[in-house]
Amino acid sequence: MTESPTRTRPVTGTIYVSRLLTDRAMNHLHALGAPVRIGSEAPPDRAELEAGISGASAAVITLTERIDAELLAVAGPQLKVIANVAVGFDNIDVSAAEAAGVIVTNTPGVLDRASADHTFALILDATRRISEGDRLIRRQQPWVWGPRMLVGLDVSAGATLGILGYGRIGQAVARRAHAFDMNVIATSRSRTPGNIENGVTFVDASTLLAESDVVTVHTPLTAQTRHLIGAAALAAMKPTAYLINTARGVWSLRRR
Amino acid sequence: MTESPTRTRPVTGTIYVSRLLTDRAMNHLHALGAPVRIGSEAPPDRAELEAGISGASAAVITLTERIDAELLAVAGPQLKVIANVAVGFDNIDVSAAEAAGVIVTNTPGVLDRASADHTFALILDATRRISEGDRLIRRQQPWVWGPRMLVGLDVSAGATLGILGYGRIGQAVARRAHAFDMNVIATSRSRTPGNIENGVTFVDASTLLAESDVVTVHTPLTAQTRHLIGAAALAAMKPTAYLINTARGVWSLRRR
């Protein structure tokens, strides 16, 4: 990944925005003063992508747009920067961009906390059965509260959260889990099993799967993690455990 | 409310359990060794309640069972204790129980953390649109991710949580909110507006309603709080604000 320039330079030429972003992001782009060519909310097909990027000086794209050497040639030599609205950049042939003299930027960090929030939203939704309750109410059928009704996992009564991958998002999830009095264990490539850091005990993956009431995946998508969660991992988990996946690794299950 | 006895006494006579409780609770009751008369999962009607409590030495009940002087007379003089499986006890005529020599117990504190968990589950469900996403997936219709899709409130990007009522549950909610980097303001009968305690700024109710992105209600149900959230309160809130109610106060809106 090419380093971003540290000084702001005036934008000249057309900015291509492959998909309509949020109002706030679009306002920022329009404020730059350069012509902005905007796609629709839906992802562009290849022809639309080619038409959009052709002649542009800058392209703001999302993970749904695949950037390869051929597209860079179609774009033309005036293209200076491709801004990927994502942390990941597996949609971009970075070597080809480098060869074409195009700077590629991504957005690491900006969604770490939002991702941890969303992860915790899913943890609480599954364990406290919120969507299930939502469906019950929306069915508009009679119901009467009972002491055994929609009893889920009492997360703050000593439940163990296992975090597979203790990167930026994993750490943000751990911080939230501590406020819920959860016992937090994690795997980490750079930490030794048995070590404790900020209240998180590091373990190997087998221990994590066996001991967790809730397992949450925050590993990057690599050759090593692609099949991390498969039949063996599911079998190693407690029969009552919950599996939360907000990582790219989720696809591994579908691609097996 | 009568104080609970501090010494354990052996249970003699029948224990009436008005509704089937969780397996764990039922196991505890059976372990006492006394005969246990158990209702169904559904709440008993008056006749079932009378038949169940008649001749019992102890009654374990829930909020759906109304205990008054008449029922206590039906129960008989051998009734020694009514254990209400709830923090609240507005279903029990405590004076009548006291006059009949019946000890009334409740379960304060045991669900403070679970209630705070559930509150946060609802906060995250509403703001991060989890149930809405759940419905989208279950409709099994085609969809494509887009940068404007299901964008909700970014709670950890400076959103303000307003806690109406800073008791045990309100404090547990505040602790969770801080882990999400939320700005936390609260009302409290015993604290002066402007004061700050554990990162929570105390304000009056009008300020709280006007400034909060999420308002959560944790007041007890009293004559003062019964109509706390009505048309005026709703009008005082930001048009974009979320209202979460896990308190008895919720009923006030329906009873108006």
Side-chain angles (χ1 to χ4, degrees):
Chain A
M1 177 125 292
T2 317
E3 287 293 311
S4 304
T6 48
R7 265 189 300 170
T8 308
R9 288 178 292 194
V11 179
T12 53
T14 299
I15 301 170
Y16 168 55
V17 184
S18 65
R19 305 182 65 175
L20 189 67
L21 303 176
T22 58
D23 291 344
R24 194 157 166 236
M26 292 311 301
N27 289 343
H28 276 296
L29 286 167
H30 286 299
L32 294 172
V36 183
R37 189 186 298 160
I38 309 166
S40 66
E41 273 193 65
D45 61 24
R46 185 71 180 196
E48 290 167 334
L49 182 59
E50 288 180 356
I53 205 166
S54 174
S57 297
V60 180
I61 62 161
T62 74
L63 280 175
T64 44
E65 287 75 74
R66 183 148 293 280
I67 309 292
D68 50 29
E70 203 190 332
L71 188 77
L72 290 163
V74 170
Q78 80 299 329
L79 182 65
K80 290 284 167 282
V81 58
I82 293 175
N84 209 36
V85 184
V87 185
F89 46 89
D90 43 296
N91 56 318
I92 299 174
D93 184 337
V94 176
S95 313
E98 217 159 341
V102 174
I103 292 168
V104 176
T105 68
N106 64 342
T107 55
V110 300
L111 287 182
D112 290 349
R113 297 198 289 190
S115 299
D117 293 351
H118 202 84
T119 300
F120 234 86
L122 292 174
I123 290 173
L124 293 173
D125 182 72
T127 57
R128 303 319 323 230
R129 301 169 68 173
I130 303 298
S131 291
E132 205 178 334
D134 183 85
R135 292 199 297 278
L136 174 77
I137 298 297
R138 285 175 199 276
R139 275 200 294 275
Q140 297 192 296
Q141 282 163 9
W143 60 273
V144 179
W145 173 82
R148 299 171 69 94
M149 181 186 181
L150 289 176
V151 172
L153 174 70
D154 194 351
V155 291
S156 64
T160 294
L161 176 66
I163 302 176
L164 281 168
Y166 194 66
R168 290 188 310 264
I169 297 173
Q171 290 170 43
V173 170
R175 191 170 151 240
R176 284 151 180 75
H178 282 135
F180 287 79
D181 298 308
M182 295 185 87
N183 175 35
V184 183
I185 58 180
T187 60
S188 165
R189 280 172 299 185
S190 56
R191 292 163 181 90
T192 311
N195 280 10
I196 298 173
E197 182 184 313
N198 295 326
V200 177
T201 303
F202 294 96
V203 295
D204 58 35
S206 310
T207 306
L208 185 139
L209 293 169
E211 293 188 358
S212 298
D213 298 300
V214 179
V215 174
T216 182
V217 187
H218 301 288
T219 52
L221 179 57
T222 65
Q224 283 71 44
T225 64
R226 187 174 284 275
H227 292 158
L228 182 65
I229 303 293
L234 293 177
M237 286 170 66
K238 291 185 184 181
T240 53
Y242 298 82
L243 175 63
I244 307 294
N245 199 325
T246 54
R248 277 190 178 66
V250 70
W251 306 108
S252 64
L253 263 178
R254 295 165 72 179
R255 285 187 186 157
R256 269 201 114 157
Chain B
M1 173 123 296
T2 318
E3 287 293 311
S4 305
T6 49
R7 264 189 301 168
T8 308
R9 288 178 291 191
V11 179
T12 54
T14 299
I15 302 170
Y16 168 55
V17 183
S18 65
R19 305 182 65 175
L20 189 68
L21 304 176
T22 59
D23 292 343
R24 195 158 165 235
M26 292 312 299
N27 289 343
H28 276 296
L29 286 167
H30 286 299
L32 294 172
V36 184
R37 189 186 296 159
I38 308 164
S40 66
E41 274 194 63
D45 62 24
R46 185 71 180 195
E48 290 167 332
L49 182 59
E50 288 180 354
I53 206 166
S54 175
S57 297
V60 180
I61 62 161
T62 75
L63 281 174
T64 44
E65 287 76 73
R66 182 147 294 281
I67 309 292
D68 51 27
E70 204 191 331
L71 188 78
L72 290 162
V74 171
Q78 80 299 330
L79 182 65
K80 290 284 167 280
V81 58
I82 292 175
N84 209 37
V85 185
V87 185
F89 46 89
D90 44 295
N91 57 319
I92 300 174
D93 183 338
V94 176
S95 313
E98 218 160 340
V102 173
I103 292 169
V104 175
T105 68
N106 65 342
T107 55
V110 300
L111 288 184
D112 290 350
R113 296 198 289 189
S115 300
D117 293 350
H118 202 83
T119 300
F120 234 87
L122 293 173
I123 291 173
L124 292 174
D125 183 72
T127 56
R128 301 320 324 231
R129 302 169 68 174
I130 304 297
S131 292
E132 205 179 336
D134 183 86
R135 292 198 297 278
L136 173 77
I137 298 296
R138 284 175 199 276
R139 275 199 294 274
Q140 299 192 294
Q141 283 165 9
W143 61 273
V144 178
W145 174 83
R148 299 171 70 93
M149 181 186 181
L150 289 174
V151 173
L153 174 70
D154 195 351
V155 292
S156 64
T160 295
L161 176 67
I163 301 176
L164 281 168
Y166 194 66
R168 291 188 310 265
I169 297 174
Q171 290 170 44
V173 170
R175 192 170 150 241
R176 284 152 181 73
H178 282 134
F180 287 78
D181 298 309
M182 295 185 87
N183 175 35
V184 183
I185 58 180
T187 60
S188 165
R189 281 171 299 184
S190 56
R191 292 162 180 92
T192 311
N195 280 9
I196 298 174
E197 183 185 312
N198 295 327
V200 177
T201 303
F202 294 96
V203 295
D204 58 34
S206 310
T207 305
L208 185 138
L209 292 169
E211 293 188 359
S212 297
D213 297 300
V214 180
V215 174
T216 182
V217 187
H218 301 286
T219 51
L221 179 58
T222 66
Q224 283 72 43
T225 64
R226 188 175 284 274
H227 292 158
L228 182 65
I229 302 293
L234 293 177
M237 288 170 64
K238 290 184 185 181
T240 53
Y242 298 82
L243 174 63
I244 308 293
N245 199 325
T246 54
R248 277 191 179 64
V250 69
W251 306 109
S252 64
L253 263 177
R254 296 166 70 180
R255 286 186 184 155
R256 270 200 111 155

